[in-house]
Structures are given as C-alpha cells and as structure tokens.
Amino acid sequence: MKNTEKYQSLKHGHSCLLNETLSIRLIQQSDFDDIVTMLENPTVNQYLFFAPSPVEVYEAFFTPIIENTQQAIANKEWPDSPTFVIRDTEGTYMGMLGITPVMMLTGNYEVGHQLPEHAWGQGIGTLGCQFATTLAFEQLRAHKVCADCYAGNVGSARVLEKTGFVLEGRQQDYYRLENGFDDRLWFGMTLDQFKVRYPKRHQG
C-alpha cells in the first residue's frame, strides 16, 4: 500500500500495516485501559513527567483527544492532534504515537511515543517515530518537527537520532527525579532535512 492510500485508510479509522507484524490506527476509547496500564508501569514512567497520575488525570487528557478523533474520522480529516495505537497481529498493545501542533506556530509539530515494557528492544520506537515524523511532513504540511526526552533516557534519544532528528539543545536540571534532577534534550528536524533523509517518502 502506498503512503497516500495508507493515509486515506487511517483517516477513515481503519488499521494499516506498519510492518509485517504490526498494525497502526487512530486511537479509540477501547485503547484507554491498555494505555493506562502502560503508564502505571514504574519501568515505563520513570522517564515520563506526567506519569504516574490518578486515572482521572488520564481521562481528562485522553477523552478530548478520543472524541476529536472520532469526529475527524467522521469528517474524513486528520484530528487536531493525531494519536495512534500500535498492536501486533494478535491484537496485543505495543505502544502509542502522538503528533501535537505547537500552539500559535503554524507548521510546527512535536512528536512523541510511549511503549509498554514488553515492546522494548524490537525497533518499534524507531519505526513508529519514523511513521509519525513522515506523516507530519507529508500530510500536516510541517516545516519543523521537534521532540524531547530525558537525558537519561538513552533509548528514546537513540530512537530520535536513528529517525534523523538533530540534537538542538539541552536544558539542565529540567526534570525532577526521586534522587536529583535530569536534563531535557531537545531534538529537531526541518522539512529540508527530512527531504534529504527520506528523499522518496516526501514525494508520497
């Protein structure tokens, strides 16, 4: 399936293959429990400033996203903040991706991903980040895509580097940890950098 066909199918709320063993689709209400289970895992949330949190906090955050997504599917358009869920061929939850517009900066987006512990070390983060970044440039007309992570989160930093992001900055002692602080790493990619990195993909 070509990128243009895949994007149209996703807009209609269908699942599409991410690779031979993984599929991806826009978030649904039925994904919520799997997302909460992931965010409650201490191994996962050690590098998430917003987790762990009471379930009410997750509901307040994800409910508007899910509702906006359902309305966008009905209108056959992209949601305000496209959020995708990855599952394997057996339907097992393997992670989520988000593409968020930067407020008041048209064409600027941020991408992020979270994976459950059982999905680590399989290249899913890189595959998902490449998908989200490509969609932002190809479909959302991005001219700049950014991402950030804890300096201690070596895995996430490596995913961004492998996707083609460039380290653009470092904020010292940005995140509070149980025993001290950690820096925040800022990564970015421009449209020109994307075209060089993925010369065929940007053509659809």
Side-chain angles (χ1 to χ4, degrees), residues 28-48:
Q28 299 178 358
Q29 183 62 48
S30 58
D31 299 315
F32 181 74
D33 288 345
D34 285 331
I35 293 171
V36 172
T37 298
M38 172 185 68
L39 296 178
E40 289 180 340
N41 183 343
T43 306
V44 174
N45 64 41
Q46 64 177 319
Y47 293 124
L48 299 175

Side-chain angles (χ1 to χ4, degrees), residues 10 13-16 23-28 30-31 83-87:
L10 288 169
H14 302 307
S15 295
C16 290
S23 65
I24 190 169
R25 63 163 167 72
L26 287 167
I27 190 172
Q28 299 178 358
S30 58
D31 299 315
T83 303
F84 299 90
V85 166
I86 302 171
R87 294 187 180 275

Side-chain angles (χ1 to χ4, degrees), residues 3 7 99 111 127-142 145 163 165 189 191 194 198 200-204:
N3 276 1
Y7 294 145
I99 308 171
V111 295
L127 187 65
C129 190
Q130 290 173 343
F131 170 85
T133 303
T134 300
L135 189 148
F137 283 115
E138 288 187 349
Q139 289 287 293
L140 306 182
R141 299 183 179 180
V145 177
T163 301
F165 283 86
M189 186 188 304
L191 177 58
F194 171 76
Y198 304 100
K200 294 182 180 180
R201 294 193 187 189
H202 77 273
Q203 299 173 1

Side-chain angles (χ1 to χ4, degrees), residues 5 16 32 45 48 60 77 81 93 97 123 142 151 162 165 177 203:
E5 296 173 345
C16 290
F32 181 74
N45 64 41
L48 299 175
E77 59 189 20
S81 297
Y93 175 79
L97 312 167
K162 290 169 69 175
F165 283 86
L177 307 177
Q203 299 173 1

Side-chain angles (χ1 to χ4, degrees), residues 83-103:
T83 303
F84 299 90
V85 166
I86 302 171
R87 294 187 180 275
D88 66 13
T89 53
E90 298 180 352
T92 302
Y93 175 79
M94 301 297 282
M96 64 181 298
L97 312 167
I99 308 171
T100 306
V102 178
M103 187 178 297

